[in-house]
Amino acid sequence: MIRKLAAVLPDLAPWRSSRDFRLLWVQGLVTYLGSVMALIALPLQIKELTGSPLAVGAMGAVELVPLVVFGLYGGALADAVDRRRVIVLTEAGLGLLAVVLLLNALLPHPVLWPLYVVAAGVAALAGLQRPALDSLLARIVPHEQLAAAAALNALRWQAGAIAGPALAGLVVAYAGNVPAYATTVVCFSASVLMCRRLSPVPPAEHAAKPSLRGIAEGARYAWSRPVLLGTYTVDLAAMLFAFPNTIFPFLADELDADWALGLMYSAGAVGSLLLSLTSGWVSRTRRHGLLVVFGAAGWGLAMAAAGWTSNVWLVLVFLGLAGAGDMLSGLGRSTIWNQTIPDRLRGRLAGIEVLSYSVGPQLGQVRAGAMAGWTGARPAIWSGGLACVAAVGLLAAALPGLAGYDARTDEDARRRTDEDARRRAGEGTGTAPAREDVGAGR
């Protein structure tokens, strides 16, 4: 019985084998708790200052462009310089922006415009940092432990997504904005100290300087790999058609269940957490493309069911199942990226990923809101879920390499396995790792 239970629990091998992974795991949790304080306090402060829903919504508009532009540039930067340095400097910058929020909140009459400037600055720094963080995993974790590392990172994020907003809501509601922003400053200060303890992560040999040409090279590489292209497009389709969070308040109204609104927002995180807690089998899986396809289709199907049913408890169950499907797809995507992308291109490909995770949900909320105004919340949700399933099916048929991906036979995955073994052997003997054979002429 104990052996069967251990087979489904998260695989802790990356935690045991990599000091840098342990540092990043704890640092990520601390950063998330600090960030969520500001993420909840900032829109509430704008609401207090203006009383305008439009003014609160405008925060998303000022964030999108910096996130996309600096995300693409951050990908090229991560391939050209020490990734640890990028992480430390951007983390310090985020901490300074938290200080600005704190000082503004301490004023007798806080000013509105710095809040938008900080929101845009946070999006820009997050865009710069995210590719360096995402591309770091394959350098600090053995190749065969990448799926387990992705599951442990997901577990950290989901635990924070459930506990963080609840804690932040209590702090903001009962103590106010100043303690919330002060907590953010403390968390980022601790995070910078932890990031400084990471091992240096120098760029690949002969790495090019950040440039538009370098960004285009990464885009061409992604376009030439049907498996990678499939991961991006499936995620984009899932978010475009089946990301209805913005209309949850209207769904709660239609179900006459205003009390369930908070549960609707957290149900997906609960489902994701449950999948992460039983993710031990993922490290033994080699068909990660199927995880992407079935996870995204399951997300859409569960969303369709959540929109179709009128029982609020069933809605919450289906939203939880949708979160589990999204997490399953995310584990597959993360593992494929880390298993197949050459180290010298990992940053730029992570920058392209920024487009997927930022543009998709933004457009999805626009779609859901516009359709809900025409048909009502429930039809907007179930029709979007069905459209997601159809889109995922069409993409899987058009890009069969995604569903057929097998880490044991995929040429890029095998090449990265060999390179990882040579690099680790070089680190162990003090010799330089072999230079990567990146494109293999393709």
Side-chain angles (χ1 to χ4, degrees):
M1 180 65 181
I2 295 178
R3 184 175 299 177
K4 290 181 179 179
L5 180 62
V8 299
L9 291 176
D11 185 354
L12 299 179
W15 182 275
R16 292 191 293 265
S17 67
S18 174
R19 166 188 170 274
D20 284 341
F21 179 80
R22 293 193 296 272
L23 271 174
L24 275 181
W25 199 95
V26 176
Q27 173 269 334
L29 184 60
V30 171
T31 295
Y32 184 86
L33 291 176
S35 298
V36 78
M37 289 286 178
L39 286 173
I40 288 180
L42 186 56
L44 285 177
Q45 189 177 18
I46 294 176
K47 177 179 176 292
E48 291 169 358
L49 292 175
T50 67
S52 167
L54 182 60
V56 176
M59 193 173 69
V62 303
E63 291 173 336
L64 182 58
V65 173
L67 183 61
V68 171
V69 172
F70 284 91
L72 289 174
Y73 179 75
L77 187 67
D79 286 333
V81 301
D82 185 337
R83 291 168 188 167
R84 181 190 68 167
R85 186 181 180 193
V86 175
I87 294 169
V88 171
L89 291 177
T90 51
E91 200 75 357
L94 290 167
L96 289 175
L97 291 177
V99 171
V100 172
L101 290 176
L102 176 60
L103 294 177
N104 186 57
L106 287 169
L107 295 174
H109 302 287
V111 184
L112 178 63
W113 65 264
L115 305 183
Y116 290 110
V117 173
V118 168
V122 168
L125 288 173
L128 284 174
Q129 185 188 79
R130 176 69 184 260
L133 273 174
D134 286 354
S135 60
L136 187 61
L137 188 63
R139 290 287 292 270
I140 63 176
V141 172
H143 193 80
E144 66 277 6
Q145 296 177 8
L146 287 172
L152 288 175
N153 280 341
L155 179 62
R156 175 199 67 197
W157 188 88
Q158 295 302 338
I162 294 172
L167 177 62
L170 290 174
V171 171
V172 172
Y174 292 102
N177 294 325
V178 170
Y181 292 143
T183 303
T184 302
V185 172
V186 171
C187 286
F188 274 101
S189 300
S191 175
V192 170
L193 294 177
M194 284 186 278
C195 289
R196 286 176 57 86
R197 296 181 58 199
L198 292 169
S199 303
V201 188
E205 188 179 359
H206 305 306
K209 294 181 179 180
S211 65
L212 291 176
R213 179 179 297 180
I215 294 173
E217 181 188 2
R220 285 195 300 271
Y221 181 87
W223 185 263
S224 70
R225 272 26 183 207
V227 174
L228 288 179
L229 193 60
T231 63
Y232 295 130
T233 54
V234 164
D235 183 45
L236 188 62
M239 295 298 101
L240 172 63
F241 292 114
F243 191 79
N245 290 28
T246 192
I247 60 173
F248 280 168
F250 302 95
L251 177 63
D253 286 344
E254 290 185 13
L255 297 176
D256 195 23
D258 292 342
W259 57 269
L261 179 58
L263 296 177
M264 290 179 185
Y265 281 113
S266 62
V270 172
S272 298
L273 177 62
L274 291 176
L275 186 103
S276 299
L277 288 172
T278 56
S279 61
W281 59 274
V282 173
S283 61
R284 299 185 295 275
T285 299
R286 299 295 178 265
R287 301 290 301 276
H288 303 103
L290 289 178
L291 301 186
V292 176
V293 173
F294 287 140
W299 156 269
L301 192 61
M303 280 296 183
W308 185 263
T309 183
S310 59
N311 184 299
V312 66
W313 292 108
L314 286 178
V315 168
L316 295 174
V317 169
F318 287 129
L319 290 177
L321 291 174
D326 185 45
M327 179 53 58
L328 183 65
S329 182
L331 291 177
R333 291 194 309 271
S334 175
T335 304
I336 289 174
W337 293 336
N338 284 309
Q339 284 182 341
T340 63
I341 297 173
D343 186 64
R344 80 176 192 93
L345 290 173
R346 279 196 180 111
R348 277 165 282 182
L349 271 293
I352 294 173
E353 178 207 342
V354 170
L355 297 179
S356 170
Y357 87 80
S358 61
V359 175
Q362 293 284 351
L363 293 179
Q365 297 198 80
V366 172
R367 182 214 66 83
M371 191 164 184
W374 178 39
T375 65
R378 289 177 59 200
I381 294 173
W382 67 253
S383 63
L386 293 180
C388 168
V389 175
V392 170
L394 289 173
L395 289 169
L399 299 167
L402 176 61
Y405 173 84
D406 190 321
R408 295 165 296 190
T409 58
D410 182 83
E411 187 176 338
D412 288 326
R414 292 175 64 181
R415 189 178 297 114
R416 300 291 86 75
T417 302
D418 294 341
E419 289 166 358
D420 182 73
R422 290 198 301 269
R423 178 173 61 83
R424 292 184 181 279
E427 290 172 352
T429 59
T431 59
R435 183 179 174 183
E436 292 186 77
D437 174 20
V438 207
R442 291 189 290 161

